[in-house]
Amino acid sequence: MLLDELNQEQRAAAQQTEGAVMIVAGAGSGKTRTLTYRIAYLLEKGVDPFNILSLTFTNKAAKEMKDRIISLVGPKARNIMMGTFHSVFAKVLRAEAERLGYISTFTIYDSDDSKGLIKNILKDHSLDPKTYNPGYVLSRISKAKSSLISPSDYLDNQQLMTEDKASNKPYIGNIYQEYNNRLRKAMSMDFDDLLFNMNILLRDFPDLLLKYQDKFRYILVDEYQDTNFSQYLIIKKLAARYGNICVVGDDAQSIYSFRGANIQNILNFKKDYPDCGIYKLEQNYRSTQTIVKAANSVIAKNRDQIKKEVWTSNEEGHKINYNECENEKEEARWICKEIVSRIQTKNSKFQDFAILYRTNQQSRSLEEVLRLYNIPYRIYSGTSFYDRKEIRDVLAYFRLVVNNSDDEAFLRVINFPTRGIGDTSINRLKILADQKNCSLFEAALNLSYTDGIHARTAQKIVDFALMLRAYTIDVFNKNAYDIGFEIVAKSNIIKHWKEDPDPQSSDRADNIEELLNAVQGFVESSEDAILDQLTGEEISIENKTLDVFLQQVSLMSETDRDDNGENERVSLMTIHAAKGLEFPYVFVCGMEENLFPSIMTIVSRVDLEEERRLFYVAMTRAQTELLLSCANSRFKNGQLNFNERSRFLEEIDQQYFNEEIRMGKKSANPFAFKQNTTETFVPKKIFTPIVNKPLPKPIGGNPVSIEEFFVGMDVAHDKFGFGKIIAIEGTGDDTKAEVNFEAFGTKKLVLRFAKLKKI
DNA sequence: AGGTACTTATAGAGT
DNA sequence: ATAAGTACCT
């Protein structure tokens, strides 16, 4: 029987298929498993997959869950609507776009596009971008949108207006209004619009409300603690007819309030659905007792929480490991050594390790040292592939072809690669478009020589528009790859990078080719539904058009990207990105005050509690071993900073550390706890440690000629990392050195080829 | 118009 | 450290 795979509480939660259900699931308690079996069970009971809506936190999670369900109950599961809030409702909006006066190929703006639009508005209204920092303005707008506050609501809202006046930015409401006007004119939506407009659709079109209530008779929401008001209301409306709503979450893992997530949604579920079944999953199957208990001891410090007792019957396991380092380089080296030692002694694989951090910047020093140790890794957050300039440029061409009204895309590529169209002509064109109340693209297409633009430049503008117009006509008759390939070729963008002498430029050309590969992969893939989940239409290669690709890509995160089968790598990511994942060995680095907890959060209890939940999430990713580290000094924005170790370290019940690494009373002087660093805190190693020496040393070192090497010299090798020369033999080109590497033991190297560097 | 050199800001997490 | 923006030169 299908549900035999679940424990008693999980099974009970899966079996109550009708009505409202809340599953409060502690970390590692088999939440995804329960959801998966619950959906499989629904299908076994005869529920039509077209009637199931399952909302997950990442698209990757959706894909994995769907694959698992398919393996349990067969291919009919493909037709379940499963994905993130944003991707699912983008599909619905695409189908219903004309109700809202949008074209179905509307563009989705990401935060960079949104910031660019705000910058343009500031420029046009002569507002100071220092006062009206685009990032800040966008976050105000975003918070308003995710609370369903429209621009006119904003301008009428006394509290918001007072706040903006107090911060000396009285025009944010007006910027919001203009921002929305321009988005609409460009036939574009930002992330929050996908949810906002879905709400409008359900509010203003009763037939659609009924249609989707009827379609989505069974609704499941994962990570419910991280939903915002806008998402909450969509779900509430959709579920209002049949009442079959199942939410899963853990208030202790709510970490997205900055994005408007409202922890009250889960805390108040019982108020909305008084008859709901509540199930608590408290048995942790993931981690050792040490990890579970240590994490519990930390989260107990929070005041706001649903009471529950997470426990495990797993073995006690290792004590938590901790190392205090001089600086971020030494921290990275410590992590590398710990990884290598486990690889060699415990038969672990690189994919068993994750290095988690609070801020994306921290990945850079880790990266440098991982490369030195020749440890394969993958970064799952930070500047994603799709954020790179060259990729955004190509995507802007695609966007403009699919949606001619997309002015931001137009401005991005009108003169890139350069085609002799400068600021003067572009400003003139903007004025023309404004006068005619049309898009920049249309203005360009219909440019006449009486328009006041130099004839030669005007011709270039018209040529540009005509070139793209040809693709617009074709875009729905060809698959995404065929047309994408042509656009890239014709726009000269690859040629531009290939001819550029800068060494980084050939990488950019390669990236564009990789993007085209991704487009091809999209066209050829059949992993998704065979039938369109909304229309029931068959999906074939002809449906895989460029606009569909764009819509998919704009909602994809780095975590969702394919790893091309190369999965034997250490994972690097922020703690936020690690939510929902698990690894045998987890490093949490940068355990320092002002970094984690972040300096922005330490003034308010509510923010600090969220930060503490974040640490709880980090700890509970670990299955067998948890390793923490901090650095006494660290470069940030090119400046050296000194921080005390994080208060969170002392909040862990000290019995879960080895005796010798328990925290003493926190000292006021950041240097006072320095002497007991590496030697004492590092566990026994199989490699000869050189950590007793005062560090840091520059990483990388300098190349030297063969004669300069001597026995006892500290050297670095591209592959083997740091080592010390223990013997030299031979002369001239045949000179060989025996080097004892920290991580790879003794190697004999021919100096002429080894490219050893002095450190 | 387009490229180069200098200046300045950067605050955190990401659909 | 890095990117983006500005001033200035060709």
Side-chain angles (χ1 to χ4, degrees), chain A residues 296-545:
Chain A
N296 283 345
S297 73
V298 171
I299 202 66
K301 307 273 192 296
N302 272 8
R303 199 196 287 172
D304 301 330
Q305 54 183 317
I306 300 177
K307 275 281 165 262
K308 64 177 163 313
E309 191 63 45
V310 180
W311 60 278
T312 185
S313 61
N314 291 343
E315 59 176 6
E316 189 186 340
H318 289 88
K319 298 278 187 195
I320 299 173
N321 203 332
Y322 168 67
N323 190 21
E324 210 155 88
C325 308
E326 279 302 309
N327 54 44
E328 70 271 31
K329 286 277 158 78
E330 196 207 323
E331 181 182 43
R333 293 173 61 177
W334 176 71
I335 290 171
C336 288
K337 281 183 227 158
E338 296 292 325
I339 291 175
V340 172
S341 103
R342 280 163 186 75
I343 294 267
Q344 299 200 335
T345 60
K346 298 197 173 166
N347 207 17
S348 305
K349 298 199 158 28
F350 288 118
Q351 64 266 38
D352 295 339
F353 297 86
I355 308 175
L356 309 183
Y357 37 79
R358 178 64 176 83
T359 68
N360 280 308
Q361 308 191 305
Q362 289 167 257
S363 68
R364 212 156 31 76
S365 51
L366 290 164
E367 238 185 313
E368 282 173 26
V369 180
L370 283 161
R371 252 187 258 129
L372 213 51
Y373 276 78
N374 205 29
I375 295 173
Y377 63 90
R378 170 156 175 212
I379 297 184
Y380 283 88
S381 48
T383 312
S384 94
F385 181 74
Y386 291 100
D387 285 339
R388 292 169 205 226
K389 177 193 166 3
E390 65 275 19
I391 300 302
R392 297 186 71 92
D393 288 337
V394 174
L395 292 178
Y397 275 102
F398 291 178
R399 279 164 51 177
L400 192 52
V401 166
V402 166
N403 171 10
N404 291 167
S405 304
D406 189 344
D407 285 356
E408 290 297 302
F410 182 95
L411 290 171
R412 190 169 179 107
V413 296
I414 173 70
N415 199 33
F416 188 85
T418 50
R419 40 177 76 85
I421 303 165
D423 288 347
T424 325
S425 310
I426 292 170
N427 282 330
R428 183 76 200 125
L429 194 66
K430 277 185 187 168
I431 293 165
L432 279 170
D434 216 38
Q435 284 169 356
K436 296 185 183 172
N437 194 26
C438 68
S439 67
L440 291 170
F441 186 89
E442 213 178 315
L445 200 63
N446 301 318
L447 205 58
S448 100
Y449 51 87
T450 55
D451 284 335
I453 293 178
H454 196 278
R456 265 176 57 192
T457 315
Q459 189 58 52
K460 288 174 191 160
I461 295 175
V462 174
D463 287 348
F464 171 79
L466 282 173
M467 168 181 85
L468 294 183
R469 187 72 186 182
Y471 297 124
T472 299
I473 292 164
D474 245 9
V475 75
F476 303 115
N477 305 322
K478 287 190 172 175
N479 73 50
Y481 180 74
D482 289 346
I483 199 123
F485 185 88
E486 274 188 61
I487 296 170
V488 167
K490 199 62 174 284
S491 64
N492 280 336
I493 193 159
I494 285 213
K495 193 163 157 251
H496 171 268
W497 291 118
K498 282 198 170 147
E499 285 171 0
D500 193 277
D502 190 300
Q504 288 191 333
S505 297
S506 70
D507 285 349
R508 293 186 190 265
D510 292 347
N511 287 336
I512 294 175
E513 274 164 12
E514 199 186 325
L515 176 69
L516 285 175
N517 287 339
V519 179
Q520 194 170 20
F522 160 77
V523 171
E524 287 168 1
S525 76
S526 55
E527 81 218 3
D528 206 15
I530 323 158
L531 302 178
D532 186 289
Q533 285 123 332
L534 289 175
T535 60
E537 229 177 311
E538 201 172 317
I539 293 180
S540 66
I541 207 162
E542 286 83 47
N543 301 112
K544 303 263 187 164
T545 46

Side-chain angles (χ1 to χ4, degrees), chain A residues 60 357 378-382 557-561 563 566-567 569-574 577:
Chain A
K60 194 184 181 198
Y357 37 79
R378 170 156 175 212
I379 297 184
Y380 283 88
S381 48
S557 72
E558 189 62 17
T559 328
D560 297 328
R561 277 185 79 218
D563 55 13
E566 291 176 69
N567 52 2
R569 295 154 179 261
V570 173
S571 298
L572 274 70
M573 64 186 91
T574 62

Side-chain angles (χ1 to χ4, degrees), chain A residues 327-328 331 356-363 365-366 574-576 588-602 607-608 610-612 614-615 629-637 639 641-649:
Chain A
N327 54 44
E328 70 271 31
E331 181 182 43
L356 309 183
Y357 37 79
R358 178 64 176 83
T359 68
N360 280 308
Q361 308 191 305
Q362 289 167 257
S363 68
S365 51
L366 290 164
T574 62
I575 302 167
H576 283 90
V588 184
C589 62
M591 293 296 304
E592 294 138 44
E593 283 292 297
N594 303 325
L595 183 62
F596 191 27
S598 156
I599 191 161
M600 341 266 308
T601 64
I602 48 188
D607 287 349
L608 185 65
E610 174 149 321
E611 205 77 353
R612 191 176 285 117
L614 191 59
F615 185 45
S629 59
C630 79
N632 288 337
S633 72
R634 167 184 306 276
F635 274 96
K636 195 183 160 196
N637 297 338
Q639 267 200 319
N641 285 277
F642 297 89
N643 289 315
E644 293 180 46
R645 68 183 172 218
S646 171
R647 67 188 74 189
F648 292 152
L649 290 165

Side-chain angles (χ1 to χ4, degrees), chain A residues 226-237:
Chain A
D226 281 323
T227 50
N228 62 34
F229 180 69
S230 184
Q231 293 168 320
Y232 158 84
L233 203 61
I234 294 172
I235 291 306
K236 192 175 172 187
K237 284 190 169 173

Side-chain angles (χ1 to χ4, degrees), chain A residues 709-717 720-728 736-751 754 756-757:
Chain A
F709 288 103
F710 57 86
V711 174
M713 183 174 180
D714 291 316
V715 292
H717 184 273
F720 303 128
F722 295 104
K724 191 188 271 291
I725 297 181
I726 52 177
I728 290 183
K736 290 175 195 155
E738 210 173 332
V739 185
N740 185 13
F741 289 104
E742 286 171 31
F744 289 85
T746 304
K747 304 264 178 200
K748 202 176 262 190
L749 303 165
V750 179
L751 287 175
L756 284 181
K757 288 174 188 163

